[in-house]
Amino acid sequence: QVQLVESGGGLVQAGGSLRLSCAASGSIFNINDMGWYRQAPGKQRELVATVTSGGNTNYADSVKGRFTISRDNAKNTVYLQMNSLRSEDTAVYYCNADVTRGLSLRTYRYWGQGTQVTVTS
């Protein structure tokens, strides 16, 4: 079994910062790409940022220069540092990870439960 547990969401004023964390646990042989997505009510889920196992990153244009994705491979954890937050950043944020399981050595995409981020204007 593999689980992704998110933390760090909450309520923040515009211009403020939040740091999201997502820790993977279970039968993990290796974690490949990791990422963050978000979804506002009534809207499509969108990609926010990704980071490869080698540390290469990619960002949505809407968050570029404000958000930073990083990972700690020793802790099987991915982070999203969010600065200069705007009201349009309000959404449920989901982490994901492509995990090679220790038993089967097959790779699957896992998702966290989601954490609410609310930015007041």
Side-chain angles (χ1 to χ4, degrees):
Q1 299 181 5
V2 174
Q3 296 180 357
L4 302 182
V5 179
E6 302 177 1
S7 62
L11 181 68
V12 65
Q13 293 182 339
S17 298
L18 285 174
R19 182 178 172 87
L20 305 183
S21 300
C22 175
S25 62
S27 181
I28 299 171
F29 179 80
N30 184 62
I31 301 179
N32 301 309
D33 294 353
M34 306 183 81
W36 289 93
Y37 294 72
R38 67 186 182 187
Q39 186 170 26
K43 297 183 179 180
Q44 298 292 114
R45 182 177 296 190
E46 66 174 349
L47 176 68
V48 176
T50 60
V51 57
T52 69
S53 60
N56 293 322
T57 59
N58 186 58
Y59 298 92
D61 288 340
S62 59
V63 307
K64 196 173 300 181
R66 300 186 298 120
F67 292 9
T68 302
I69 188 171
S70 61
R71 63 191 290 169
D72 186 336
N73 292 332
K75 297 180 179 180
N76 290 331
T77 299
V78 62
Y79 305 93
L80 186 68
Q81 178 66 47
M82 304 184 293
N83 298 326
S84 301
L85 283 163
R86 307 165 181 167
S87 59
E88 55 263 39
D89 295 318
T90 296
V92 177
Y93 284 71
Y94 300 88
C95 67
N96 80 286
D98 294 334
V99 178
T100 302
R101 296 189 62 180
L103 292 178
S104 67
L105 298 183
R106 297 293 302 270
T107 300
Y108 303 91
R109 175 161 290 186
Y110 292 90
W111 291 88
Q113 79 283 359
T115 184
Q116 177 70 49
V117 172
T118 302
V119 184
T120 60
S121 60

